[in-house]
Amino acid sequence: MTRGLKRSASVALILAGMIQGAWAAENGATNYPAGSPGVFIASFPPIPGLFAISQTSYTSANGLYDGQGNKLPINFKLSAVSETMRFLASYPGDFFGAHVYSQLVVPFVHLESTNPGGSFQANGLANITFSPIILSWALSPVQTFTVGLDIMPNTGTYSARQPLNVGTNYTTISPVLAYRYADPRGFEFAVSPRLLLNNANTDSVNAFTQLTQQYRSGDALVVDFNAGYNIGDWKLGVVGGYTHQYQDDKINGVKAFNFAGVQDGNRLRSINAGPSLTYNAGRFQINVNYQHTFYVENGSRGDTVWANLAFPLWVPAPPAGAGPVKR
């Protein structure tokens, strides 16, 4: 194999692990896709029961960008289809005035990548998310404040020798806050900042030396947001997310290089947003939204379409004589 072919193959191994969002390993990805909650930020049912949200998404990403947001002269395309089920348990009673919830998020993903090294595919379970306790306070009839802790254990499908992976092979701990203002006959706004505190991928493989290495993706701040206006059963608005990695990626304790060959710690920064349409049918809600990556550093630009369906799985019957349940 010539030197040029060796370099091309090495670049291909790096590129194949790359996608904006939560479906690949290091190099421009996280365990949490900014903007994924859409219109459901801090939107919790005020009654006990078991609830679910089905989220189907399609992402198309192309082009790699350096640490200054400049596009690199590298052929790169990647597409992802995902089905994510979010299960929410709402408990009776309260804790210091807060309603108490738990959550489980289970994402399945199909990836396809084309780059100078060839074409690759991957399927499987991405890292699940478990939220053991979520506390939500009603500040007023139209305002809520929420705190929670998301745990994203190393559960995704991953093989260090495969050029493309769905799982990241490391665990992330994510403390999260959220504020929501929602007038059912008017304006609605929600914002949710969270930290992504990452462990290391101890089974990463260096694309050039083919030796096992420890790759630790730097910790990051993610801010999800949405805004809209309710008109009867419909809501028109905008949704999105912002990612700011504030710590360097490190390989065996040394600051990582980015795709441009610059040793800048490969810090990811991106912002994505787009229009959203929601229909409230009472017992269930349907939402579709589109999000475009307007700016990215050390990552790729993508376009994602989401189709979401929220519905109850089980709601206990009210006690005899209690009257109808207010929703």
Side-chain angles (χ1 to χ4, degrees):
M1 182 181 286
T2 67
R3 180 179 178 185
L5 288 175
K6 286 182 180 179
R7 179 172 178 80
S8 177
S10 299
V11 169
L13 287 171
I14 298 175
L15 296 182
M18 172 74 195
I19 184 174
Q20 175 223 355
W23 302 296
E26 48 266 1
N27 296 310
T30 71
N31 263 336
Y32 179 85
S36 59
V39 297
F40 300 106
I41 296 173
S43 179
F44 298 115
I47 59 174
L50 183 62
F51 303 85
I53 303 176
S54 169
Q55 296 188 282
T56 304
S57 71
Y58 171 76
T59 296
S60 177
N62 64 83
L64 296 175
Y65 293 77
D66 65 16
Q68 283 72 49
N70 302 311
K71 189 173 183 179
L72 298 173
I74 300 173
N75 252 343
F76 171 78
K77 291 183 180 179
L78 194 145
S79 64
V81 179
S82 72
E83 172 58 33
T84 301
M85 288 300 303
R86 296 177 178 264
F87 301 98
L88 182 75
S90 175
Y91 301 109
D94 57 48
F95 180 75
F96 289 100
H99 205 103
V100 184
Y101 305 89
S102 294
Q103 178 184 230
L104 177 66
V105 182
V106 184
F108 291 91
V109 182
H110 170 75
L111 295 175
E112 294 185 5
S113 174
T114 301
N115 54 62
S119 297
F120 308 91
Q121 293 188 10
N123 302 278
L125 176 71
N127 288 43
I128 67 170
T129 298
F130 175 56
S131 311
I133 184 168
I134 302 169
L135 300 175
S136 182
W137 286 268
L139 305 180
S140 75
V142 295
Q143 296 182 88
T144 57
F145 176 73
T146 304
V147 299
L149 180 67
D150 291 351
I151 302 171
M152 306 166 193
N154 178 15
T155 53
T157 305
Y158 180 87
S159 171
R161 298 296 171 180
Q162 293 298 320
L164 189 64
N165 279 289
V166 170
T168 61
N169 203 48
Y170 63 84
T171 295
T172 297
I173 305 298
S174 182
V176 57
L177 304 174
Y179 169 80
R180 182 171 182 252
Y181 176 93
D183 180 349
R185 296 180 180 85
F187 180 70
E188 185 169 315
F189 167 78
V191 61
S192 178
R194 67 169 63 232
L195 296 178
L196 302 180
L197 309 177
N198 301 315
N199 289 340
N201 177 3
T202 59
D203 201 26
S204 176
V205 172
N206 186 290
F208 294 93
T209 67
Q210 293 299 293
L211 297 176
T212 300
Q213 62 186 9
Q214 285 200 11
Y215 194 113
R216 186 185 182 281
S217 296
D219 296 341
L221 168 71
V222 173
V223 181
D224 296 307
F225 55 86
N226 68 53
Y229 197 87
N230 293 288
I231 307 171
D233 295 331
W234 296 87
K235 177 167 60 184
L236 303 173
V238 61
V239 299
Y242 171 71
T243 300
H244 178 85
Q245 183 179 331
Y246 58 86
Q247 282 189 341
D248 293 331
D249 285 4
K250 291 187 176 181
I251 301 175
N252 297 329
V254 179
K255 183 186 293 189
F257 288 81
N258 67 9
F259 290 112
V262 178
Q263 193 177 14
D264 68 347
N266 200 34
R267 297 190 184 197
L268 172 66
R269 182 182 297 178
S270 68
I271 185 165
N272 48 280
S276 170
L277 177 65
T278 305
Y279 175 69
N280 188 343
R283 287 184 61 84
F284 64 89
Q285 289 187 57
I286 300 173
N287 168 263
V288 291
N289 70 75
Y290 160 76
Q291 298 182 42
H292 171 72
T293 306
F294 287 95
Y295 181 79
V296 67
E297 295 176 5
N298 290 326
S300 67
R301 288 194 178 187
D303 295 275
T304 302
V305 177
W306 294 86
N308 307 304
L309 175 64
F311 55 95
L313 293 174
W314 172 78
V315 176
V325 175
K326 294 183 179 181
R327 302 235 12 180

